[in-house]
């Protein structure tokens, strides 16, 4: 069973920065991790989970309109990790953030992290 462990969440002031990290462990090699699309989702209290940023196995990144220009997703295939750099955070960025990976080819498979809380204080 592949496990995704997120870290880096916490309390940050409005306008500040935070960096979330997600590391994959278990039966997933570096070579396998390369073919996964990776993403960060978030879910605020009382709201549906939404896609914040994604990064394909080919390197194409997409962002939620409200975070475009403020957030940046990156990956390190050797470390089997995915990061989300969050700059100029706003109160509406407060949510539980989840890491997600999904195979881009072959047999379908995807995994979720347990989530990390981000709270932005005004």
């Amino acid at each position: 069973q592949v496990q995704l462990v997120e870290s880096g969440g916490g309390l940050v002031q409005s306008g500040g920065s935070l960096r979330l990290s997600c590391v994959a462990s278990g039966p997933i090699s570096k070579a396998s991790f390369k073919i996964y699309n990776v993403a960060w989702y978030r879910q605020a209290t009382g709201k549906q989970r939404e896609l914040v940023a994604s990064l394909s196995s080919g390197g194409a990144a997409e962002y939620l309109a409200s975070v475009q220009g403020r957030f940046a997703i990156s990956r390190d295939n050797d470390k089997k990790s995915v990061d989300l750099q969050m700059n100029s955070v706003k109160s509406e960025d407060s949510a539980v953030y989840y890491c997600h990976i999904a195979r881009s080819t072959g047999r379908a498979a995807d995994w979720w992290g347990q989530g990390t809380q981000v709270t932005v204080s005004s």
Side-chain angles (χ1 to χ4, degrees):
Q1 182 78 0
V2 174
Q3 291 185 325
L4 302 178
V5 178
E6 298 115 333
S7 61
L11 179 64
V12 59
Q13 287 190 334
S14 180
S17 297
L18 206 61
R19 190 176 184 89
L20 305 183
S21 293
C22 170
V23 179
S25 63
I28 180 169
S29 66
K30 296 176 183 178
S32 295
F33 188 80
K34 288 181 180 179
I35 68 168
Y36 279 76
N37 297 324
V38 298
W40 286 93
Y41 287 75
R42 69 186 181 188
Q43 187 167 20
T45 303
K47 295 187 178 181
Q48 290 188 331
R49 190 172 297 189
E50 63 180 355
L51 176 62
V52 175
S54 64
L55 184 59
S56 72
S57 57
E62 294 186 0
Y63 296 92
L64 181 68
S66 62
V67 308
Q68 181 77 46
R70 299 189 296 120
F71 290 10
I73 187 171
S74 61
R75 65 190 295 165
D76 186 328
N77 292 328
D78 286 338
K79 294 181 179 179
K80 298 182 288 184
S81 65
V82 186
D83 286 357
L84 183 69
Q85 178 65 42
M86 306 168 60
N87 298 325
S88 303
V89 296
K90 305 175 181 179
S91 57
E92 52 262 44
D93 294 324
S94 296
V96 177
Y97 283 71
Y98 298 90
C99 177
H100 179 254
I101 64 171
R103 284 177 64 104
S104 61
T105 62
R107 176 176 56 87
D110 72 294
W111 285 272
W112 290 91
Q114 81 287 353
T116 185
Q117 176 71 49
V118 172
T119 302
V120 181
S121 64
S122 56

